[in-house]
Amino acid sequence: MTAERPDQDLPATVHDDGRYPTTTPLDGVLADQAPTRLPVVPVPSAGDHPALSIQGLAKAFGGKIAVDGISLDVPAGSFYGMVGPNGAGKTTTLSMATGLLRPDFGTALVHGVDVWANPLEAKKMMGILPDGVRLFDRLTGEQLVTYAGLLRGMDRDVVASRVGDLLRALDLGKDTGTLVVDYSAGMTKKIALASALIHAPKVLILDEPFESVDPVSAANIRSILDSYVASGGTVIVSSHVMDLVQRMCDHVAVVSGGRLLAAGTVDEVRGAMSLEDKFVELVGGRNETEGLEWLRTS
Amino acid sequence: MVAHLVRLKLTLLRNGLKRSPWQLVGLIFGGLYALGILGFLVAGLIALRGAEAELAQTIIVLGGVAALIGWAILPIVLSAADLTLDPARFTTSAIPMPQLLTGLAIGGLLGIPGAATAIAALATVATWSQTVLSALGALLGASIAVFTCIVLSKVVTSATVSLSSSRKFKDASGIIAFIPLMLLGPIFFFVSQGLQDSAAFLPDFARILSWTPLGATWSVGGDLAAGNVGAAVVKLVVALATLALLTWAWKVLLARALVTPAYSGGSSKSSKKLGLFGVFPGTPTGAVAARALTYWFRDPRYGGSLVVIPLLAVLLVFQASQSGNFEILAILGPLTAFLMAWSISADISYDNTAFALHLSTGVSGRADRLGRAWACLILSAPVVVIFAVGPFFFTGSWEWLPMVLGLSTGVLLSGLGLSSVVSARYNVAVPLPGDSPFKKPPGNTAQTLLVQFAGMGVLLLLVIPEIALLIAQSVTGQVLFGWLALAVGAILGGVLFSVGVRLGGRWLDARGPEMLAQLGVNR
């Protein structure tokens, strides 16, 4: 936080009166999805604040420690992957970073704004796709995304035009009038993603965004996210598909047992190995396939 | 293999109980209740041994037919088919069909309904124990009867599995099943009156039924006791043929179900219609209200409480027409106001973890509270007014109208204010989204009851001024008190409504994440 430039603290996408702007980088991204298109919006000066900075986050459920003091900085404009085995504390960490779960210890700052001290301002900058929560699934897909936009106090006409763009970009154009409860698992993921994108956030925090999404839709989502990052946004995804993270992300954090094992650019973390091999080396627990000699067809 | 399936069913029952001690308590109470009814039935059947043979035969055949129909219909209506041994789960384990059928049929016997039916059926052996032959006949008939019940229920559930797994059917049946339950009193009254009127006809009816597949198996013992050996043999053949036919049908349906899993998806629809979202103001409060009102119509858990209201009116009118005293109808308005206002006292619990959207968008607690209360008010205000005014067309005592209107308004507004506070603070056990409104909800039942009772007590305190004016008018007969109640109801109610929305909103702002964490427990 620099005293000389206090304006820098204000999130770029939120006007001084707290209302949402009518045009944002995402509009351009969605209107023209060509992934090769060069960013027209300059990458924000990354010097001041990381997009997300968490310090010593910790949470225990009952006597069981789920997250044991995780600190990491996500640079603005990065595509950040968070990987870890099942039960590593990824979802818990992301929930605490996004204001959904109150941490026992630690702080989370989004572009310098404390999520827990100043939740309204922080939530305006974040688009969140939580994992394992229900949706208001008796609404149609179109109604659900509209609802998410209106809840954020956005203008109805802006919401309406963005909902159309988003649903088309996510291949949900045919199902706008279907109740979300009748969607398949992959479609449900996509509609939740649309709800997280509607307000053109500065930081996208996506928990397992590619789970049960078909390859074509996954490719579409990736190109949307790539353009979004190229235009200055920050994406944080959790996943346990290492291959995907290695191809998609430029930064990665490895979490296991509620602790941070490694963090940095993908190349720094993996060194000469593939990310998957490095991950197994860091986390451990790999069994050599012995003792299944009978599992042979001959 | 059959033993494996039976053991699997027993293990599933036992593990189901292990999940929480409360479930065990529930089963014990349910079991005691069933045991009480069963005790009556068995005692009655044993007592019938000494009764006139024709009477005994009529009762057993009609009762048996009713049991058979119940086994066929109840699983669909309550969408509560016993899925612990769902055939769809055995698709990948290649079990020979005859063994699968036997295992599933015996598995169907284990559990309260199966065991109760078996015990009651076997009690008919005591009824017909005059001679050894008739006792043996009754035993044979009862055994066939029990398996016919189970196989029939399996046939019906497997035939309708694609229907009953569709969401729309589940939604509708959840609400429709409310109606007979609510109207149990009048239905019972009319049925018993009808039975009294047609008492002479019943033995003939039972005699005819006893030759049909529905009643044949129940009448074998009675015919043998009456010495009609020929008739008994024919009925035994009818009963066995029925069971064989049903088993064959079940086998065919099961074989089909094993290779074609139920498809429950809907057709895709695209529309440019936003429904209520286009009608309400484009503000967070308006959006919450549009969402809540949409849910009142689309979610059977809300629809269930809506359908109760007109049924309540029917029930009260029935009651009044029985006693000839229509004054009681005056409570309809305040009662409806109370039920509607209190129905949103668990609104966030109904959302379950979908509430995360409100939290992640940072919508203010006040907009959340106000939107929900607003939706409920829009829906309930016309109903309450109609139900408050309507009874006076029956009674004609119009001097009480301002009082009843005032009390109804007061209860509705104060109740909505209170509900806004309660639902912001307490997470209570309600059926999960998508579940039948009947389904016993998971979670802390003790806290739920405590919150409900304490909340109603507080509401009673909040409307003390209106109640005091009611007493004043009863004592003095002055209509002035009625007009005062109307003013107090509107003004005090309005104040309490706004206080409730503000207080609830502030609590929600402060404790949103804690609320979400509690909701996540009941998934």
Side-chain angles (χ1 to χ4, degrees), chain A residues 102 123 138 147 156 175 177, chain B residues 171 268 277 298 358 514:
Chain A
R102 202 182 298 277
K123 282 172 182 174
R138 301 265 159 175
Y147 186 44
R156 199 207 296 262
D175 300 286
Chain B
D171 288 0
S268 63
F277 287 91
R298 280 209 197 130
H358 284 213
E514 281 71 18

Side-chain angles (χ1 to χ4, degrees), chain B residues 136-153:
Chain B
L136 278 179
L139 180 63
L140 198 56
S143 323
I144 298 175
V146 172
F147 279 101
T148 310
C149 284
I150 289 167
V151 173
L152 177 64
S153 134

